[in-house]
Amino acid sequence: MSWAFLRDLLSGVNKYSTGIGRICVAVVFTFRLLVFVAAAENIWKHEHDEFECNIKQPGCENVCFDHFFPVSHIRLWALQLIIVSTPSLLVVFHVAYRENREKHHNQKLYKNPGKTDGGLLCTYLISLILKTGLEIVFLVLFYKLYNGFKVPHLVKCDIKPCPNTVDCYISKPTEKMIFLYFLVATSCLCIVLNLSELSYLIFKYSIKCYLKRHVKKQQ
Amino acid sequence: MDWGALHTILGGVNKHSTSIGKVWLTVLFIFRIMILVVAAERVWGDEQDDFVCNTLQPGCRNVCYDHFFPISHIRLWALQLIFVSTPALLVAMHVAYRRHEKKRQFRTGDQKCEFKDIEEIRKQRFRIEGSLWWTYTSSIFFRLIFEAVFMYAFYFMYDGFRMPRLMKCNAWPCPNTVDCFVSRPTEKTVFTIFMIAVSSICILLNVAELCYLLTKFFLRRSKKAGNSKQQPNHENKEETKQNEMNELISDSCQNTVIGFSS
C-alpha cells in the first residue's frame, strides 16, 4: 500500500470528471503528491533527532517536542492528501452500483451508467462540496494547531521535567516554512478549481432545465 | 508515487513531441532526474548531521544551518524538475481532450470521423498544429521561464555555484562568531556545476525547439498563402516518413530510459 494506490484510484475516477475536474486531479498529483514524496518528506525525516533544547535534563526535549508538535506537519499533510481524495470514491461507488443494478435486473436501465446525469450528478456535486469542505477544514486545522503557517526557529518551553523556561531550537525552520506555504497555495488552488467546477456544473444543468421547461411551455 | 509516475505521464507526451522535444525529455530523465535520485540525494543525505560548528552551545548549529541553507540544493532541484515537467502535462491533457472528442465523434457515428475503430484513435499520433501548437509552444515557453527563474534563484541564494568549506556564523544563540564546516563541499560543488550545465543544455534545447516551431509556423503560413494546393500528397508523404523516424528514435530512447529506471 503506497501512494501509487491513491494515484490509480484517482485516475479511475478521472473518467467521470469534467474538464476542470481533470485539471484539478493533475494539479493534486504533480504538485502535491510528487512534491510531498520527492522533496518534503526528507525535510521532516529527522525532525525529532534534530530538535535541540538548551538543557541536559533527560526527558525535557521529548516533552517539549511533543508539546509543540502534537501531530507533525508532514503527517497532517499526508492525512490531508488521503482524506481530500476519498470523496471521489462516492462517484466510483455510485457508478458501480448502477452497473450492478443493470446486471441484477438483466436489462439496460441507464443509457450510459457512467454519464453524469440525475443521481450521479448529485453524487458528483456532493463529492465536490465534500472535497472543498475538507480542504478548508485541514487549512484551518493547520492554522489553529501551529498558530499560523510560520515555523519559528526558537520555541520556549517550561513543561515538567524541564527545570525552568528552556530554549528549544527547531531544525530547518525556513525550509519547512517554504514547503508549508507551498502546501497552502496548492490547497487554495484546488479549492478554487473545485468551486469553479461546482458553479460550472450547477450553471450548465440549471440552463438545461430552464430550456427544457421553456420548450415544454411552448409546446 | 515517485519519479517513475512522472516518467509514465511524460512518456505519453513523448509521442506527440518534436524530435528536439524528445531529446529534451531524454536529457531530463537520464541526466537530471536519474542523477538526482541515484547520486545527488546520497551526497546531500547527511547534510545537517555532518554540518559541524566549533561550539558546544545547543541550538547554534541548527540556527547556523538554517541561516546558510534556507532551502537545500537538493530540494530546489527537485522543485525545479517538477515545475519544469508540469507544462508537458498541459500538452498531455490537450491530447487526451482531442482523443476524447474523436472517440465521441466515432461513437455518435459522425461523418467527419475518419477512424475505423477505437483502437486506432487510441494509437493515433496528433500533429502539432492548430490549438495543440499553441498549447505546445506555451508549454515550452513556461519551461524556459521556470528553468531561468530557478537558475537565478539558485545563484542568488547561494552567491554563485561554489560550496565553501567553512562558513562563519554569529546568529543568536551562538555566543560569538563561530566556524561552521560543511560536509563534502567539493563533491557538492561538482554536482552543482553538473546540474547547472545540464540545466543550460535544456534551456538551449528549449530555445531551439521554440525557434523550430515558430519557423515551421511561418513557413506553413507562407506556403498556404502561396501555391500549396499543387502538391499536398507529396508534403504529407514526407511528413509521414519524418513521423515514423521520430517514432523509431523515441521508442529506442524510451527503452533505454525504462532499462535505467528499473
Side-chain angles (χ1 to χ4, degrees):
Chain A
M1 185 70 105
S2 68
W3 292 110
F5 170 75
L6 191 66
R7 179 199 70 202
D8 293 337
L9 170 72
L10 284 177
S11 53
V13 172
N14 223 356
K15 281 192 282 182
Y16 314 113
S17 294
T18 57
I20 301 173
R22 283 196 187 115
I23 295 171
C24 196
V25 175
V27 168
V28 168
F29 275 110
T30 38
F31 283 113
R32 299 169 85 178
L33 255 172
L34 199 55
V35 167
F36 177 88
V37 172
E41 266 189 331
N42 291 328
I43 303 173
W44 274 271
K45 209 173 188 176
H46 301 291
E47 56 170 339
H48 198 148
D49 295 334
E50 290 164 359
F51 181 78
E52 208 176 351
C53 289
N54 189 2
I55 185 118
K56 278 196 166 164
Q57 169 66 45
C60 180
E61 252 182 37
N62 277 9
V63 161
C64 291
F65 182 84
D66 185 61
H67 177 256
F68 288 106
F69 302 107
V71 179
S72 169
H73 296 93
I74 201 82
R75 246 75 65 189
L76 210 53
W77 195 346
L79 266 177
Q80 181 186 18
L81 288 174
I82 295 168
I83 289 175
V84 153
S85 311
T86 40
S88 311
L89 278 175
L90 288 173
V91 177
V92 175
F93 289 154
H94 196 148
V95 172
Y97 165 75
R98 277 187 173 187
E99 284 168 356
N100 211 14
R101 224 175 135 215
E102 274 189 352
K103 237 190 242 175
H104 187 71
H105 291 270
N106 233 356
Q107 51 177 280
K108 207 169 171 60
L109 295 165
Y110 306 101
K111 219 191 284 183
N112 177 9
K115 189 159 187 281
T116 40
D117 55 2
L120 190 60
L121 174 68
C122 283
T123 311
Y124 191 67
L125 289 174
I126 291 170
S127 78
L128 278 177
I129 293 169
L130 275 174
K131 266 198 248 183
T132 314
L134 286 167
E135 292 267 20
I136 294 171
V137 160
F138 269 96
L139 281 178
V140 169
L141 196 64
F142 255 110
Y143 191 84
K144 288 270 149 131
L145 219 57
Y146 299 110
N147 283 336
F149 299 114
K150 282 206 172 109
V151 181
H153 67 266
L154 161 73
V155 284
K156 290 190 186 285
C157 174
D158 61 357
I159 305 164
K160 271 195 186 156
C162 305
N164 48 38
T165 306
V166 144
D167 291 336
C168 291
Y169 301 92
I170 297 170
S171 71
K172 310 191 201 174
T174 314
E175 206 166 358
K176 286 177 180 170
M177 198 170 67
I178 291 172
F179 277 85
L180 273 180
Y181 281 135
F182 189 85
L183 179 166
V184 171
T186 49
S187 235
C188 294
L189 184 61
C190 266
I191 290 172
V192 165
L193 285 171
N194 280 335
L195 288 174
S196 38
E197 194 181 1
L198 196 65
S199 34
Y200 166 75
L201 282 171
I202 292 173
F203 179 73
K204 182 175 157 191
Y205 283 95
S206 45
I207 295 280
K208 231 187 194 178
C209 280
Y210 174 77
L211 285 171
K212 261 191 196 165
R213 249 186 253 162
H214 196 68
V215 164
K216 267 189 188 163
K217 268 189 185 166
Q218 281 193 335
Q219 283 174 352
Chain B
M1 178 71 192
D2 53 7
W3 296 111
L6 185 68
H7 173 251
T8 315
I9 298 168
L10 292 186
V13 176
N14 204 14
K15 214 168 143 188
H16 311 279
S17 304
T18 60
S19 315
I20 305 174
K22 285 166 185 166
V23 172
W24 174 82
L25 216 63
T26 312
V27 167
L28 182 79
F29 277 104
I30 295 181
F31 292 104
R32 296 173 83 178
I33 294 179
M34 229 180 77
I35 296 287
L36 183 84
V37 169
V38 167
E41 273 184 0
R42 300 226 173 125
V43 174
W44 270 267
D46 53 7
E47 53 177 329
Q48 196 173 344
D49 294 335
D50 288 350
F51 181 78
V52 171
C53 288
N54 190 2
T55 184
L56 283 175
Q57 170 62 47
C60 178
R61 196 172 65 116
N62 275 6
V63 162
C64 290
Y65 180 85
D66 183 62
H67 178 255
F68 289 113
F69 302 107
I71 177 165
S72 168
H73 291 70
I74 204 91
R75 246 78 64 186
L76 211 53
W77 283 329
L79 272 180
Q80 181 182 12
L81 290 171
I82 293 167
F83 271 86
V84 153
S85 313
T86 310
L89 270 185
L90 285 173
V91 178
M93 281 190 283
H94 196 145
V95 165
Y97 171 76
R98 272 206 181 173
R99 219 173 249 149
H100 176 75
E101 285 295 302
K102 295 269 179 193
K103 277 186 190 167
R104 202 173 50 86
Q105 278 181 357
F106 177 78
R107 280 203 194 100
T108 55
D110 203 325
Q111 296 295 324
K112 275 190 251 170
C113 188
E114 65 267 27
F115 297 101
K116 297 208 178 106
D117 62 72
I118 283 245
E119 274 309 306
E120 233 182 275
I121 299 175
R122 227 172 258 158
K123 287 183 190 157
Q124 195 221 4
R125 190 201 156 189
F126 291 101
R127 282 176 58 184
I128 304 173
E129 53 190 16
S131 54
L132 187 61
W133 184 90
W134 287 102
T135 312
Y136 194 78
T137 313
S138 44
S139 82
I140 298 175
F141 180 71
F142 280 113
R143 260 190 243 163
L144 264 172
I145 302 279
F146 288 140
E147 292 268 22
V149 163
F150 272 96
M151 274 183 78
Y152 176 72
F154 214 94
Y155 187 84
F156 178 74
M157 243 189 261
Y158 296 109
D159 277 329
F161 302 123
R162 240 187 99 248
M163 180 72 83
R165 274 187 193 155
L166 161 72
M167 291 167 162
K168 291 195 183 283
C169 173
N170 61 1
W172 190 85
C174 303
N176 47 38
T177 305
V178 145
D179 290 337
C180 291
F181 301 91
V182 180
S183 77
R184 308 182 216 229
T186 313
E187 204 170 359
K188 286 177 179 171
T189 308
V190 166
F191 273 96
T192 306
I193 293 174
F194 179 85
M195 292 299 254
I196 297 295
V198 181
S199 224
S200 316
I201 293 172
C202 283
I203 289 178
L204 288 171
L205 284 170
N206 284 328
V207 168
E209 201 178 357
L210 203 60
C211 294
Y212 168 74
L213 284 169
L214 289 169
T215 316
K216 219 175 146 188
F217 175 73
F218 287 119
L219 278 174
R220 212 184 280 150
R221 270 183 101 176
S222 58
K223 266 187 187 166
K224 268 189 188 169
N227 289 326
S228 59
K229 286 179 190 174
Q230 286 179 9
Q231 297 174 354
N233 290 328
H234 180 64
E235 266 178 48
N236 282 342
K237 270 185 197 163
E238 269 192 47
E239 283 181 17
T240 327
K241 243 189 190 174
Q242 181 63 43
N243 285 350
E244 281 172 26
M245 280 187 67
N246 288 347
E247 293 234 29
L248 277 168
I249 296 167
S250 76
D251 283 343
S252 60
C253 281
Q254 267 200 321
N255 286 337
T256 327
V257 173
I258 289 166
F260 270 123
S261 59
S262 61

